[in-house]
Amino acid sequence: MKGKGSAIPGNIMVMESANPYQELVKYGEAFMTRFTCSFAESPLLERVTIIDTPGILADEKQKYRGYDMSRIMRWFIKRVDMVIFLFDIARLGITDELRLIIELAGEYSDKLRIVLNKAHNLDGQEMIRSFGCLMWSLSKIIGQNCELPRVYVGSFSDEANEAPQLTNLTAAEFNTCAFLEEEHADLVEEIANLRKSRALRMVNELTKRARSVRVHCLILAHLKKQGTSIQRKKLLIQKLERVFQEIQQKHNCLPGDFPQVEKLKAALGAWDFNLFTAHKPKLIDVVDEFIFTDRLKLINIILLPTFE
């Protein structure tokens, strides 16, 4: 964090109401003794807080941590705005613990970024080979369910100025120094713009929720209108896919807005359709106003250069 002073132990951090770490106390004393807050005088820290995790241990050593690394990582990944995995370009092995954490981060793929570090130690051909090896490994872990994240290639250390020139790349890429500097600048810029990215993500999440609420309201109103007797209820649940199709055609809903059919069928079985609210066009219009008008206004505000 930005500031001056000595490091603050984790047990003190979780007691301060101004910090968002109170929940971490539930992970035990072994973790709290290792959780520390440090301060630095950096302009970048005026905009972001950087959380540095311990290194990934080899498979046999994981049991000696004294706390559940994966549970704690899940807590942080859910709350942070960006997750950066730093790989040493000469050590691309993925342990079971690292694989599990990457899988956790894959659930929030829009936050995930990869850094291939110490690239100045390799020539062009070796760099491309290492890059391909890493992408292949990542595709086996997260590539099946989502797009692979952006990979920054660089040397994020004081040794970056010693980077040699690449000789085996195209004419546009042969200068390693320029290439690594561009990658470095891109990553720093993305970190500096995290507030804007976070705001856009919040609008996106709010939009998804609004669409989901809209569709659920239409579904429940449709079921109530079609009949509330026990036999009619069973028939409607059995033919819920057809109900989805009717609502989609009548109200111009997107297929991705609908809930999982089997999950909703299981939930509807316990409900009395008489308790559902009838269709209220004015309320649906309010939701539509946000989805199609207000949302775009918010995005335009966020995209302004003066947005903070």
Side-chain angles (χ1 to χ4, degrees), residues 3-255:
K4 297 180 180 180
S6 57
I8 300 178
N11 283 307
I12 297 179
M13 283 288 293
V14 298
M15 297 302 293
E16 296 184 3
S17 59
N19 295 320
Y21 307 116
Q22 288 83 2
E23 292 183 30
L24 291 174
V25 71
K26 66 184 178 182
Y27 295 112
E29 185 63 22
F31 170 70
M32 296 311 302
T33 57
R34 293 167 174 80
F35 180 54
T36 305
C37 176
S38 300
F39 298 93
E41 286 291 336
S42 171
L44 183 61
L45 295 179
E46 294 178 356
R47 306 174 66 87
V48 298
T49 296
I50 297 176
I51 300 172
D52 184 22
T53 63
I56 302 300
L57 298 179
D59 296 341
E60 287 299 321
K61 297 180 180 179
Q62 297 171 17
K63 63 184 72 173
Y64 301 114
R65 284 192 186 276
Y67 55 88
D68 191 333
M69 179 71 165
S70 61
R71 287 182 61 202
I72 296 170
M73 289 300 298
R74 181 187 292 274
W75 189 92
F76 278 109
I77 290 171
K78 183 178 180 180
R79 290 162 175 79
V80 300
D81 297 313
M82 180 184 291
V83 181
I84 300 176
F85 283 93
L86 190 66
F87 284 88
D88 188 323
I89 201 167
R91 300 167 59 187
L92 298 177
I94 298 179
T95 65
D96 290 341
E97 184 179 56
L98 179 56
R99 175 182 292 273
L100 176 59
I101 294 173
I102 293 176
E103 289 176 350
L104 294 177
E107 299 176 13
Y108 304 89
S109 58
D110 58 325
K111 301 180 180 181
L112 185 56
R113 301 294 183 273
I114 306 295
V115 171
L116 195 55
N117 197 25
K118 300 181 182 180
H120 68 282
N121 291 325
L122 304 179
D123 62 23
Q125 187 175 15
E126 292 173 327
M127 187 184 299
I128 293 175
R129 188 180 297 114
S130 297
F131 181 88
C133 178
L134 177 61
M135 296 299 288
W136 184 85
S137 298
L138 292 174
S139 68
K140 296 295 183 180
I141 302 175
I142 62 175
Q144 298 178 357
N145 300 320
C146 60
E147 293 184 6
L148 290 176
R150 165 75 187 270
V151 176
Y152 293 93
V153 181
S155 290
F156 300 90
S157 67
D158 294 336
E159 301 176 1
N161 293 330
E162 301 176 7
Q165 289 193 345
L166 303 181
T167 58
N168 298 325
L169 296 181
T170 64
E173 299 171 323
F174 80 96
N175 191 323
T176 302
C177 292
F179 171 68
L180 299 183
E181 287 176 0
E182 288 176 1
E183 291 285 282
H184 184 279
D186 287 349
L187 179 58
V188 171
E189 181 180 5
E190 186 168 8
I191 294 174
N193 289 328
L194 274 178
R195 288 187 179 181
K196 182 173 292 188
S197 300
R198 180 174 183 271
L200 289 172
R201 186 182 298 114
M202 291 176 66
V203 173
N204 183 55
E205 289 298 322
L206 185 58
T207 303
K208 289 195 295 185
R209 291 192 181 193
R211 289 184 179 277
S212 178
V213 168
R214 179 179 185 268
V215 166
H216 277 79
C217 289
L218 293 173
I219 292 173
L220 299 184
H222 182 89
L223 294 176
K224 180 182 179 69
K225 182 179 179 181
Q226 292 299 314
T228 58
S229 66
I230 296 178
Q231 294 299 324
R232 186 60 177 168
K233 172 183 173 181
K234 290 181 178 179
L235 181 62
L236 288 170
I237 293 176
Q238 290 176 357
K239 298 183 178 181
L240 193 58
E241 293 89 344
R242 183 178 297 176
V243 172
F244 282 12
Q245 293 176 357
E246 293 176 5
I247 294 174
Q248 182 179 346
Q249 294 173 359
K250 183 177 181 180
H251 298 280
N252 296 318
C253 300
L254 298 175

